[in-house]
Amino acid sequence: MLSRRTFAVAMIAAIAMPSLASAQATTPSAATIERQLDAAPRQKLRPNERVTIREFKRRPDLRRMARSIDIQSINFEFGSAAIAPSQYGKVEIIADALHRILRRDRGARILIEGHTDAVGSFGSNQLLSERRAASLKRTLVGEFGVPAYALDTVGYGEEFLLVQTQQENWRNRRVTLRRFDDFVR
C-alpha cells in the first residue's frame, strides 16, 4: 500500500514528466543523420540495373541496400500527420543535415518514408503514413528551405512495423530518411 506522500510524489512526477514517446526518442544529431545518409550504400547497382523511383519505392530489397536513418523523435499524435511548431527544433536538425549533404552533392536525393502503428484499418494507416511523409517534406521545404527537388515521399502504413504489435506503439509512428540517388536512373 502506498503512503499518501508516496502517492502524491508519484502523481506529481507523472503529470510533470513528458510523454513516454518524447522521453524515450531523441533526435539524432545533424552529424549522425549526415553520416548515415552519406555512408557507402550496402551495394552499388550498375547503371543498367537502376530503376525508376516508383520501382524503388515498391522494392524492399533495394530499399534495404540504401543508406537510411529512422527518425522516431517527431512525435506524431495518434491518428495525426501534423508536425506541431514545438517539433520544429527536431525538424531543423534534419534540415541542417540535408543542407550539408546537398552542398556537397547537388544530386543527392532523399526519400521520406512515413509509417504508422497497426491500430486502425490498413487503408486509413496507408493514407496517414503518406500524409506524415508529405507533412515532413512540406515543413522541410517551407520552413527550413530544403529544396523540394531533393525530396520524394512515400507512405508504408503499417507494412514495416519496428515493434510487431497490433497495439498502439509510438516507435512505429515514425519517418525514415532513405537516400536513393544511387539506385534510380
Side-chain angles (χ1 to χ4, degrees), residues 50-64:
R50 290 180 176 222
V51 299
T52 64
I53 181 61
R54 186 176 181 179
E55 188 174 354
F56 180 79
K57 291 176 182 181
R58 289 192 310 235
R59 293 204 30 207
D61 62 319
L62 292 179
R63 289 195 344 274
R64 277 191 298 272

Side-chain angles (χ1 to χ4, degrees), residues 33-40 67 100-101 104-105 179:
I33 295 170
E34 184 180 6
R35 193 170 36 256
Q36 288 288 112
L37 296 177
D38 264 348
R67 304 162 273 190
R100 286 190 242 173
I101 290 168
R104 278 194 314 283
D105 183 357
R179 188 158 173 190

Side-chain angles (χ1 to χ4, degrees), residues 34-176:
E34 184 180 6
R35 193 170 36 256
Q36 288 288 112
L37 296 177
D38 264 348
R42 290 177 183 87
Q43 183 177 338
K44 282 211 172 216
L45 295 182
R46 290 186 285 264
N48 65 331
E49 296 175 320
R50 290 180 176 222
V51 299
T52 64
I53 181 61
R54 186 176 181 179
E55 188 174 354
F56 180 79
K57 291 176 182 181
R58 289 192 310 235
R59 293 204 30 207
D61 62 319
L62 292 179
R63 289 195 344 274
R64 277 191 298 272
M65 288 188 257
R67 304 162 273 190
S68 67
I69 187 165
D70 282 324
I71 308 291
Q72 295 176 304
S73 61
I74 297 174
N75 297 325
F76 292 107
E77 294 296 325
F78 180 77
S80 173
I83 298 176
S86 64
Q87 300 290 303
Y88 281 12
K90 298 170 184 178
V91 179
E92 184 175 24
I93 292 169
I94 297 167
D96 289 345
L98 296 179
H99 281 299
R100 286 190 242 173
I101 290 168
L102 289 165
R103 272 195 295 276
R104 278 194 314 283
D105 183 357
R106 290 185 46 80
R109 298 295 178 267
I110 306 298
L111 181 63
I112 301 170
E113 300 176 357
H115 300 275
T116 66
D117 52 31
V119 176
S121 72
F122 182 86
S124 64
N125 282 335
Q126 180 61 39
L127 182 60
L128 179 58
S129 67
E130 292 168 8
R131 289 178 38 229
R132 284 179 175 163
S135 180
L136 180 57
K137 178 179 179 177
R138 196 170 35 258
T139 304
L140 285 166
V141 172
E143 299 293 328
F144 298 101
V146 176
Y149 73 82
L151 304 173
D152 208 324
T153 63
V154 67
Y156 290 114
E158 60 192 67
E159 193 173 347
F160 300 104
L161 297 174
L162 288 179
V163 178
Q164 297 299 317
T165 180
Q166 294 301 303
Q167 306 300 315
E168 179 182 341
N169 191 300
W170 66 269
R171 288 176 290 229
N172 289 323
R173 294 191 302 265
R174 69 193 190 284
V175 292
T176 300

